Amino acid sequence: MAGPKPLDADPSHAQRLRHLRRANEVARAAMEAGHHPFGALLVAPDGETVLLEQANVSSVDHAEAVLARRAAEQYAPDDLWRCTLVTTAEPCAMCAGTQYWANIGRLVYGMSERRLLELTGNHAENPTLDLPCREVFARGQKAMQVWGPLAEVEDEIAALHRDFWRTR
């Protein structure tokens, strides 16, 4: 069963970039606290208001999945369908599935999963799956809206990962 069509305008390109840069600040804070450098935001249907921020917690508790679970506890599914999950890196299969089940209807990401794999290689702490989130969403019954990767911020996001995984 497809979710209802969002009633609000899609987030503008400028909003997407601004929120991705904020998510990257969340990722930087995670890195400085000793966690993997991933950050995510939940943006309200107005495209401006940030409802939640989440940094990566662990190799199992990814920023996007933790944020989606928190959002599902705090907001009604119909409200979440009109929201946007903004994240620094393309959600893995686990995070895309969690977003899908939480009913968050929109996604913006800065760097692709494939680019992340190039940066992390076969790192034991991040055995990246080469499975695009669009492919995960395509197997579902909801028309998820996805924007990403966004070239304007991809190098800013990748810089955190280059520095982090090189010294790990």
Side-chain angles (χ1 to χ4, degrees):
M1 175 171 163
K5 184 167 177 56
L7 302 174
D8 306 89
D10 291 337
S12 72
H13 191 68
Q15 288 171 321
R16 293 190 295 261
L17 293 176
R18 185 172 61 254
H19 291 309
L20 279 168
R21 287 190 169 105
R22 175 62 197 148
N24 205 37
E25 292 173 20
V26 172
R28 180 180 303 282
M31 182 179 72
E32 290 169 355
H35 301 286
H36 298 164
F38 298 97
L41 312 175
L42 180 68
V43 178
D46 66 6
E48 288 294 326
T49 307
V50 175
L51 301 172
L52 297 171
E53 293 186 350
Q54 181 64 53
N56 209 66
V57 178
S58 70
S59 293
V60 175
D61 287 323
H62 296 181
E64 304 88 348
V66 172
L67 182 137
R69 286 191 299 271
R70 286 178 53 211
E73 292 170 355
Q74 294 180 34
Y75 300 98
D78 288 345
D79 294 333
L80 286 175
W81 182 251
R82 298 169 50 231
C83 290
T84 305
L85 192 154
V86 177
T87 183
T88 53
E90 180 176 7
C92 70
M94 174 182 69
C95 292
T98 307
Q99 176 182 352
Y100 177 88
W101 288 109
N103 209 46
I104 302 169
R106 297 171 172 159
L107 170 67
V108 173
Y109 66 89
M111 181 175 65
S112 72
E113 183 86 347
R114 183 159 289 169
R115 177 88 186 269
L116 178 63
L117 179 59
E118 291 170 5
L119 295 168
T120 62
N122 189 22
H123 199 286
E125 291 181 31
N126 196 47
T128 304
L129 293 167
D130 187 9
L131 179 59
C133 67
R134 284 177 174 91
E135 191 171 326
V136 174
F137 293 145
R139 302 297 179 140
Q141 300 176 44
K142 302 175 189 179
M144 308 291 284
Q145 293 179 293
V146 180
W147 295 271
L150 296 185
E152 297 94 329
V153 294
E154 191 170 0
D155 286 340
E156 297 168 38
I157 293 167
L160 286 184
H161 289 273
R162 255 191 310 278
D163 296 344
F164 181 83
W165 299 106
R166 213 179 346 200
T167 61
R168 207 67 182 166

